[in-house]
Amino acid sequence: MSAMANTKVAELGHKALGLTDADVLAMYRQMLLARAVDERMWLMQRAGKIAFIISGQGHEAAQIATTWPMRPNQDWLAPYYRSIASAITFGMSPEDIVTAHLAKGDDVSSGGRQMPGHYGAARYNIVSLSSPVGTQVLHAVGIAMGAWVKGEDVVALTSFGEGTSNQGEIHEAMNFAGVHKLPVIFVCENNGYAISVPLDQQVGGLSVAARAQGYGFPGVTVDGTDPLACYAAAREAHDRATRGEGPTLIEAVVHRLTSHSSDDDQRRYRDPAEVEDLKQHDPIPLFASRLAAVGLLTTELEEQYRAEVKAEINEASKRAEARPEPDVATAERWVYAEEGG
Amino acid sequence: MAELNILEAIRIAMDEELERDPNVMVLGEDVGRKGGVFGATEGLWAKYGGKRVLDTPLTEAMIAGAAAGAAIYGLRPIAEMQFADFSYPAFNQIVSEISRMRYRSNNAFGLPMVIRMPYGGGVHGALYHSQSNEAYFTSTVGLKVVAPGTPADAKGLLKAAVRDPDPVMFFEHKKTYRLFKAEVPDGDTVVPIGVADVARPGKHLSIFCYGYMRFCALEAAETLAREDGVEAEVVDLRTLRPLDTETVLASVAKTGKALVVHEANRFGGFGAEVAAIIAEQAFEHLDGPVTRLAGPDVPGVPFHHSLEDWFMLNPAKIVEAARGLVAY
């Protein structure tokens, strides 16, 4: 890396996007954090502490960069099951996330009621997620509709995979958002596989972004391993939304570095060479190289970040594990609203 | 007091709620400029504008799902399914999302929203404009289900539904829309969800009903009194979930005989639950088998008028079933 730092590339291009050096380093650090949380939870799953893992590894650049323009406590996220890094950008802490995966009683997403990966937190404007895929996209559109009806400045971002993009509810959501130019950003994280089924068996036109034309708003395809490309698309999408110009569909082409979930083995359906090649598409070393090439990321800073992130996840998992289990006596509560709260 | 039909009562309830609370909105197919295919929202688009009274595309999942999102955001949407029969594209949103949101988020998100659904037959609507599909929703925990049978209840229960912190499925029997007029209290009168109404007191048997069947059961009770000297107690459940079990059991304790009437098909219908509750909790009061009178077990109301007449319940069929039970 130090050798690369000597052969400086003239320009990273972030300043033209309105990002400072500190911003891009913070994005990079957040990618490291999301990865560290993800990897730790796999270890905890292997150790029998977490029942199930569905990973965001490989999606971090797309998630962090597309959520970066979103305004805390003002904008909304309707996530999907890989949205670990998006949830972190919106405010969920590593401790919140590990706590939810351990299904602890005071987990902010569900109090231990939902499976791992079902992100949600009212306090951070993250909508509670279920398991049938694509339902959350209509919730984002409904939030945007609510803001539009009330005349309030809010943008809703929702994310989903390219497999989910084929659901009817996605069509209904995008069509309606297009009709009224609602302030929504649709982020399709296209990792090429719906569990085991490849893109060419899922998407007739091979492009999710191209569908946007039929809905009357822009659809853009970006390299989902490039945080600056993703940020540029999301920045423009957010600006369009707040200007009242309506939705944008961003198709971020990413690589799923892990199997679909801890219950899956992708070697059963992906070519060994393809699996081997995945490392070349890991957004974290790719971005590190670019940051180093322009002299922003030094070896010392990289080591510092990694040490900080490791300490953070160590502390978060320790605290999460110490949290109380759900109380079975509460299992019948909150089916409906209760008196006094 | 004004003399209104059920359709007018529903329209006035929405008008008053839109007026009262700026977070209330109405959305659905043709609810705007046209005022709804039945006229339930007539005049509201002109009064409140096209955002708060919103014409949607022909997309029922979107209607339910966007209403859910708006409710998350803090609005109180009233969504209209044009016919209950067309709610199935929204089933995933209603069942997977809307009913479960509060529970799955451990009370972080509640969904104060109403889904209005015209249901029921007798209007030459055949298989796909006549369904009484309330049992899908009464068996879904997390929803409240309401089915009024009078103009005053339609208005008061719809107001209660709009103000409820949880999602309410509001079933409007379309044959009752213009069937009769009755007095409706002026102004802000709310009828609480979860309370049944003893529409006619009696002592020889209890008839449990809701929606259009209230009208039919009252006519039947009139005939029974006149021709048989039988005094039937007609209990209009009004809310199917949460069910007013107390009023149901009190009536059975009084009469000893229970006839449960609904237009929806019999097998696994809502009446099965009412019958089971009575059998379990009022066994010692029973003086005859808990009896159900329900729509036939065919996949829908057939179209031709003779076929439709065969399908539909009516006062005469209720009289016949009541006579059988009383004679037991």
Side-chain angles (χ1 to χ4, degrees), chain A residues 176-338:
Chain A
F176 180 66
V179 167
H180 294 293
K181 298 194 187 308
L182 299 179
V184 200
I185 304 172
F186 299 101
V187 178
C188 177
E189 297 175 23
N190 177 358
N191 64 23
Y193 283 89
I195 302 187
S196 65
V197 180
L199 183 74
D200 65 4
Q201 299 298 303
Q202 304 176 55
V203 177
L206 299 177
S207 166
V208 177
R211 296 175 182 165
Q213 189 184 0
Y215 301 123
F217 52 81
V220 295
T221 304
V222 292
D223 177 354
T225 66
D226 177 354
L228 297 181
C230 293
Y231 176 80
R235 176 79 267 159
E236 171 60 16
H238 194 277
D239 290 348
R240 273 177 47 75
T242 55
R243 287 195 304 258
E245 293 169 16
T248 304
L249 168 56
I250 299 170
E251 181 178 1
V253 179
V254 296
H255 299 263
R256 195 184 78 194
L257 302 184
T258 66
S259 291
H260 169 69
S261 73
S262 51
D263 290 344
D264 176 44
D265 180 358
Q266 63 181 349
R267 290 169 302 186
R268 291 170 60 95
Y269 50 82
R270 288 181 94 163
D271 193 298
E274 185 184 310
V275 174
E276 183 57 32
D277 184 57
L278 284 173
K279 293 181 196 126
Q280 307 305 314
H281 301 286
D282 184 336
I284 291 177
L286 286 171
F287 196 35
S289 304
R290 291 173 65 195
L291 291 169
V294 294
L296 280 176
L297 186 66
T298 60
T299 309
E300 295 71 35
L301 195 54
E302 169 82 14
E303 281 168 4
Q304 180 198 321
Y305 284 168
R306 287 189 182 270
E308 287 170 0
V309 159
K310 188 175 179 185
E312 204 172 329
I313 184 58
N314 283 344
E315 184 61 21
S317 49
K318 197 170 81 188
R319 283 199 305 263
E321 287 193 66
R323 287 182 172 276
E325 305 299 330
D327 178 358
V328 175
T330 65
E332 287 188 315
R333 296 195 69 190
W334 313 125
V335 176
Y336 299 99
E338 296 174 11

Side-chain angles (χ1 to χ4, degrees), chain A residues 332 334-336, chain B residues 94-103 135-145 167 241:
Chain A
E332 287 188 315
W334 313 125
V335 176
Y336 299 99
Chain B
I94 297 169
V95 174
S96 298
E97 304 298 316
I98 292 166
S99 75
R100 288 169 161 83
M101 182 63 82
R102 185 182 296 281
Y103 188 79
Y136 294 135
F137 304 101
T138 56
S139 65
T140 298
V141 187
L143 301 175
K144 296 183 179 180
V145 181
R241 192 155 192 167

Side-chain angles (χ1 to χ4, degrees), chain A:
Chain A
M1 200 166 284
S2 53
M4 289 176 73
N6 292 333
T7 56
K8 276 189 184 176
V9 175
E11 195 65 43
L12 187 64
H14 60 298
K15 288 183 178 150
L17 300 172
L19 293 170
T20 64
D21 292 349
D23 289 332
V24 287
L25 288 171
M27 289 168 86
Y28 176 66
R29 189 185 182 285
Q30 197 129 307
M31 288 165 65
L32 288 177
L33 180 63
R35 177 66 59 87
V37 176
D38 201 305
E39 287 177 340
R40 177 60 56 89
M41 294 195 303
W42 278 91
L43 288 176
M44 294 171 84
Q45 194 270 338
R46 296 296 186 229
K49 291 178 178 173
I50 287 175
F52 172 80
I53 284 293
I54 192 150
S55 186
Q57 290 184 37
H59 294 233
E60 293 94 340
Q63 292 187 9
I64 283 166
T66 54
T67 52
W68 205 259
M70 304 298 281
R71 300 160 296 184
N73 305 313
Q74 181 174 358
D75 294 333
W76 282 76
L77 172 68
Y80 83 124
Y81 51 78
R82 297 200 195 283
S83 295
I84 180 168
S86 301
I88 290 174
T89 315
F90 263 76
M92 283 185 78
S93 66
E95 185 180 351
D96 289 334
I97 289 169
V98 178
T99 301
H101 281 72
L102 289 165
K104 294 291 190 175
D106 57 357
D107 133 48
V108 297
S109 295
S110 80
R113 290 176 171 193
Q114 292 225 78
M115 286 176 75
H118 289 56
Y119 299 98
R123 70 186 69 164
Y124 307 124
N125 285 3
I126 303 174
V127 181
S128 163
L129 171 69
S130 68
S131 307
V133 295
T135 52
Q136 77 279 8
V137 174
L138 276 167
H139 302 162
V141 167
I143 287 165
M145 176 185 78
W148 170 74
V149 168
K150 301 280 285 179
E152 292 167 352
D153 178 16
V154 166
V155 177
L157 182 146
T158 183
S159 44
F160 51 92
E162 86 290 346
T164 295
S165 78
N166 305 309
Q167 288 278 8
E169 284 170 64
I170 305 298
H171 165 69
E172 295 195 18
M174 290 188 183
N175 178 60
F176 180 66
V179 167
H180 294 293
K181 298 194 187 308
L182 299 179
V184 200
I185 304 172
F186 299 101
V187 178
C188 177
E189 297 175 23
N190 177 358
N191 64 23
Y193 283 89
I195 302 187
S196 65
V197 180
L199 183 74
D200 65 4
Q201 299 298 303
Q202 304 176 55
V203 177
L206 299 177
S207 166
V208 177
R211 296 175 182 165
Q213 189 184 0
Y215 301 123
F217 52 81
V220 295
T221 304
V222 292
D223 177 354
T225 66
D226 177 354
L228 297 181
C230 293
Y231 176 80
R235 176 79 267 159
E236 171 60 16
H238 194 277
D239 290 348
R240 273 177 47 75
T242 55
R243 287 195 304 258
E245 293 169 16
T248 304
L249 168 56
I250 299 170
E251 181 178 1
V253 179
V254 296
H255 299 263
R256 195 184 78 194
L257 302 184
T258 66
S259 291
H260 169 69
S261 73
S262 51
D263 290 344
D264 176 44
D265 180 358
Q266 63 181 349
R267 290 169 302 186
R268 291 170 60 95
Y269 50 82
R270 288 181 94 163
D271 193 298
E274 185 184 310
V275 174
E276 183 57 32
D277 184 57
L278 284 173
K279 293 181 196 126
Q280 307 305 314
H281 301 286
D282 184 336
I284 291 177
L286 286 171
F287 196 35
S289 304
R290 291 173 65 195
L291 291 169
V294 294
L296 280 176
L297 186 66
T298 60
T299 309
E300 295 71 35
L301 195 54
E302 169 82 14
E303 281 168 4
Q304 180 198 321
Y305 284 168
R306 287 189 182 270
E308 287 170 0
V309 159
K310 188 175 179 185
E312 204 172 329
I313 184 58
N314 283 344
E315 184 61 21
S317 49
K318 197 170 81 188
R319 283 199 305 263
E321 287 193 66
R323 287 182 172 276
E325 305 299 330
D327 178 358
V328 175
T330 65
E332 287 188 315
R333 296 195 69 190
W334 313 125
V335 176
Y336 299 99
E338 296 174 11
E339 290 292 328

